[in-house]
Amino acid sequence: MISMIDNFLSMKELENLEKLCNEKGYTYGWKANVDVASFHWNIRFGGSGAYTKTDVTVEKEDVPELIWKIWTRINRNSDHRLIRAYVNGYTFGTEGSIHVDSEHPEYKTHMMYINTEWKPEWAGETVFFVDNEIFRSILPKPGRFIDFPGTLPHDARSVSRLCGILRRVLVFKSMPMSIPCN
């Protein structure tokens, strides 16, 4: 159900992503979905805006080269198309909420933790639920990749007050090529 690969991104890629994010700049006010009251930081790299039901194939020209290279590596043996690409950021006090990324069982979420450093005492786990029970919790280890069905309920847990940096995750949403975009 959940795939995980450590060191999917190299330290050089993490540094380049940090530079790209700083150049692009974050905006505050993004929500996991329209039904939640919590907000966090975000950079959108491609795809439809927040809370839309529209799926749009993201074209290579719409996405920074580094982001597209990472997507190509993820999608190398898949029949999926990219419909959204973004970075979410969380600081102490920005709470996540349990949510799903899609109502379609064929859609996938692909996430990479892109901080160059992370300490377990900083918390910030991604927590996954089945039948309203936590069944897996994953620390945001630098360069770690996770892949899961978009229908799987999950939550980005808050970072500890000991954490003085932004917890950042690069997210790609995808859907099978066999399903037409609306």
Side-chain angles (χ1 to χ4, degrees):
M1 187 180 313
I2 299 172
S3 303
M4 184 174 81
I5 302 170
D6 282 339
N7 302 312
F8 184 80
L9 298 174
S10 69
M11 188 56 66
K12 184 69 173 164
E13 287 172 312
L14 294 174
E15 291 167 355
N16 288 338
L17 280 167
E18 182 173 53
K19 182 179 176 189
L20 176 64
C21 289
N22 290 338
E23 289 170 358
K24 179 99 171 156
Y26 291 86
T27 57
Y28 184 76
W30 186 269
K31 299 193 298 184
N33 65 49
V34 72
D35 299 323
V36 299
S38 60
F39 297 96
H40 55 271
W41 296 93
N42 178 268
I43 300 171
R44 189 165 60 103
F45 288 115
S48 59
Y51 327 125
T52 66
K53 297 288 184 185
T54 305
D55 295 326
V56 178
T57 299
V58 175
E59 302 297 335
K60 183 177 182 179
E61 301 77 37
D62 299 334
V63 179
E65 182 180 358
L66 176 59
I67 302 296
W68 191 261
K69 282 183 180 178
I70 295 168
W71 165 247
T72 302
R73 188 180 331 154
I74 291 167
N75 200 43
R76 154 181 23 194
N77 297 316
S78 171
D79 70 338
H80 275 232
R81 71 166 57 98
L82 181 61
I83 55 175
R84 291 180 188 82
Y86 55 88
V87 169
N88 282 341
Y90 301 84
T91 58
F92 174 71
T94 54
E95 302 293 329
S97 63
I98 300 171
H99 67 282
V100 297
D101 292 338
S102 177
E103 297 170 2
H104 303 283
E106 304 88 359
Y107 286 38
K108 286 187 168 185
T109 299
H110 320 269
M111 292 176 27
M112 282 129 294
Y113 300 104
I114 61 172
N115 289 79
T116 56
E117 174 187 18
W118 199 263
K119 298 178 182 178
E121 59 267 28
W122 290 349
E125 302 87 359
T126 302
V127 180
F128 295 90
F129 298 84
V130 170
D131 297 328
N132 292 317
E133 292 285 339
I134 295 172
F135 87 94
R136 186 145 186 203
S137 180
I138 298 177
L139 278 171
K141 183 179 175 184
R144 178 173 277 170
F145 168 82
I146 57 176
D147 184 81
F148 56 93
T151 55
L152 183 61
H154 60 284
D155 183 6
R157 292 295 164 104
S158 181
V159 299
S160 155
R161 77 175 65 227
L162 301 172
C163 179
I165 63 173
L166 191 65
R167 172 204 182 266
R168 297 174 300 125
V169 59
L170 173 61
V171 181
F172 295 100
K173 305 280 180 72
S174 70
M175 64 185 282
M177 293 286 227
S178 58
I179 299 175
C181 286
N182 7 337

